[in-house]
Amino acid sequence: MAGRYSEEIIEEVRNAVDLVEIASRYVRLKKSGNSYMGCCPFHKEKTPSFHIDADKQLYHCFGCGAGGSVFQFVMNAEGMDFIDAVKSLADSAGIRLPELGPDGGEERYRRKQDMYAMNKDAARFFRDCLFSEEGAGAREYFRRRALTSKTVASFGLGYSPTGWDGLLKHLEAMGYPRDMMVEAGLCIRNDRGRVYDRFRGRVMFPIFDARSNLIGFAGRIMEGEGAKYVNSPESIIYDKGKNLFALNLARKSRRGYYILVEGYMDVISLHQAGIDCAVAGCGTALTEAQAKLIARGNTVYLCYDMDEAGKKARDRAFSIFKGLDAKLRVITIPDGKDADEFIKKYGGEQFEKLLGNASTVTGNRVDALLSKYDLTDVSQKVELINEAADIFAGIPNMVEREAYIRDMAVKTGISFESISAEVRKAGGRRQRNEVLNDVRRSVSSSRTVQEGRREGRREASERRLLGLICGDGRLYKKLKDNLTEDLFSTEIHRDIFRTIKESCDSGIDAQQQLMKSYRGREEELSSVLIVSDDPQNALAAAEDYIRIIKEEAMREMIAEAEKSGDVALLAELLKNNRKAGM
């Protein structure tokens, strides 16, 4: 029966780990007062809006709204569900978790475990088929691809027989239901209700997630007509856009960087050659979620094919990695070969030399421009400089920018001063475009901003006030006479205030009580309890917030009275407003 961990176990894990330490694996943090700041790991941004309150052990991004406890952080960063996040954090803290209790609260988790187990049994079936009489052709295919028996075993490669129900019968005999086979993508159910194997007559590549759970398969045709690859569909255990092939192996590498290639065979050939840090997408274009798995302050080498599709994929990767914390390098394979072909022909040592000669993103773009234009043609040379100026204008480091300009001057015979002038013009255009985009965004939301400005000011003050009194029981007691439930304008603010009030009046830690009350809803809590400023005088700041809240509440009531035409009420409100000096 399904189960869930007790509140005591979850609290033990939470107390054993430090959100700041966990988050610093994904984002560079800078201490600011009692909190930490950095660029959000969950969306692209240039100005840091990601905050962690180390005391409350909560995070919140004021840009995208992501927030919560260390569990939500790991769930978002690694694409895990809650139970997997608890297990991962417990493992890092050296906590041995008990068996899940039978309260029926984690049915989805148990179903995922059953699917992982079924996929493992399917992989064993494919492996046995590879070494059967029917698998001779598949073994010959791997031999032609120069894969050793050790590599075949390391990657769990196999073969799916040509029949329609070999795997189905095998798994059914082991007790797995057909519905689960269809849900996991191992089998297909047609319109007439017939169930049959998805993979038939193909060499099989198991796909694991970063924690080595077997989540899906890719089946490659060996010869003849048909789709080159048949892939597992997405399921509750397999999200193609959030996983990378062989990441579970590459994370164990001591090389300290990753190589991102296009195909499964590229990855396998590199690993076989001792370059064990290669990964690839899972049959889809690179996503930001995949890039985040290998960014995190690492160096990432892009090694894509040199055909048109490969160039487009590389440019897409440039754009995705641009906003992430990674050093990007580009490997250029000569003669239009892919990594697999190059390794087969020249070996791993020669590929290591390609790594040593890898260019930066800017260098790669400049090389592409130089090969694109004829430098003996004046008009083409002008076009080259115009395009290069746009690229150089986007380089934030002035020393690096100047180095590229000087190199371009040498290669084209155009003076450093002339190219620099064009770069300044391009920079001006870039800045104007950014301003125009900001204006467009501002105009599109101006009506909403005008209508909600006062309410936003009041809500912001309420959030800051709650954040201050939650973390300091003595401050609450000093302000107690001025704090009432009707001071707060939203239900969540009133609910949080009630919890703080009851806790402080009873001598209970308000912060811990809130964490228990909002278990599983920490994102709501983080948006209230984490503030982007850190006032030196908390009492004075809290009194200012109370004053602002009351002023805004009065303005709202006056506006409502004006709208309703209630002259008597309006007169009374204005009189009270004058008395209060608002």
Side-chain angles (χ1 to χ4, degrees), residues 482-494:
N482 294 313
L483 296 173
T484 57
E485 189 174 319
D486 59 6
L487 191 66
F488 301 95
S489 61
T490 67
E491 182 55 40
I492 186 172
H493 288 182
R494 288 191 290 271

Side-chain angles (χ1 to χ4, degrees), residues 512-526:
Q512 289 186 8
Q513 194 61 35
L514 279 168
M515 295 298 286
K516 290 180 181 178
S517 300
Y518 280 79
R519 178 85 74 230
R521 296 187 295 143
E522 286 92 346
E523 185 170 343
E524 298 176 36
L525 201 59
S526 71

Side-chain angles (χ1 to χ4, degrees), residues 59 67-77 82 520-523:
Y59 72 94
S69 69
V70 67
F71 298 115
Q72 279 72 39
F73 185 91
V74 172
M75 288 164 67
N76 289 332
F82 181 75
R521 296 187 295 143
E522 286 92 346
E523 185 170 343

Side-chain angles (χ1 to χ4, degrees), residues 510-581:
Q511 182 177 305
Q512 289 186 8
Q513 194 61 35
L514 279 168
M515 295 298 286
K516 290 180 181 178
S517 300
Y518 280 79
R519 178 85 74 230
R521 296 187 295 143
E522 286 92 346
E523 185 170 343
E524 298 176 36
L525 201 59
S526 71
S527 67
V528 175
L529 297 187
I530 294 183
V531 295
S532 57
D533 56 0
D534 184 24
Q536 292 182 347
N537 189 329
L539 177 60
E543 289 172 340
D544 281 342
Y545 295 145
I546 293 172
R547 176 183 54 78
I548 293 170
I549 292 167
K550 289 181 176 179
E551 286 177 358
E552 295 303 317
M554 179 61 75
R555 288 192 179 101
E556 289 169 17
M557 287 189 289
I558 290 172
E560 282 295 318
E562 288 177 339
K563 187 176 180 179
S564 66
D566 190 332
V567 177
L569 175 61
L570 180 60
E572 183 66 22
L573 289 172
L574 290 173
K575 179 181 177 182
N576 292 338
N577 195 38
R578 284 192 294 272
K579 283 184 178 179

Side-chain angles (χ1 to χ4, degrees), residues 370-429:
L370 290 169
S371 64
K372 175 181 175 182
Y373 291 105
D374 180 3
L375 296 183
T376 64
D377 185 307
V378 174
S379 62
Q380 289 199 41
K381 191 181 288 190
V382 171
E383 290 182 35
L384 164 65
I385 297 302
N386 287 337
E387 283 200 49
D390 283 333
I391 294 174
F392 297 156
I395 302 175
N397 186 289
M398 294 185 66
V399 174
E400 183 183 357
R401 186 191 311 164
E402 182 176 328
Y404 276 111
I405 294 173
R406 290 193 183 281
D407 186 60
M408 181 62 73
V410 171
K411 291 177 178 176
T412 61
I414 298 174
S415 71
F416 172 83
E417 290 73 19
S418 296
I419 299 176
S420 295
E422 293 303 315
V423 172
R424 285 193 293 273
K425 290 180 186 177
R429 290 193 299 270

